[in-house]
Amino acid sequence: MAATLTVSVKTVEATLTRVYRKLGLHSRFQLAHAVTPARE
């Protein structure tokens, strides 16, 4: 992802860490489920 956005890996990791903290999540798996609409 970092290469595609032309930012450093460290920047992506730091941003994800802040997002996890704000949403009360602990992993990318939880983040994916938080932003994916529920299937019926």
Side-chain angles (χ1 to χ4, degrees):
M1 179 168 35
T4 302
L5 298 173
T6 62
V7 296
S8 73
V9 172
K10 196 104 169 147
T11 299
V12 173
E13 290 172 349
T15 301
L16 284 173
T17 299
R18 284 192 301 274
V19 169
Y20 296 158
R21 190 176 306 125
K22 287 181 181 182
L23 296 177
L25 306 174
H26 301 285
S27 70
R28 290 182 186 192
F29 180 78
Q30 288 180 324
L31 179 61
H33 282 281
V35 299
T36 303
R39 295 182 192 175
E40 293 183 19

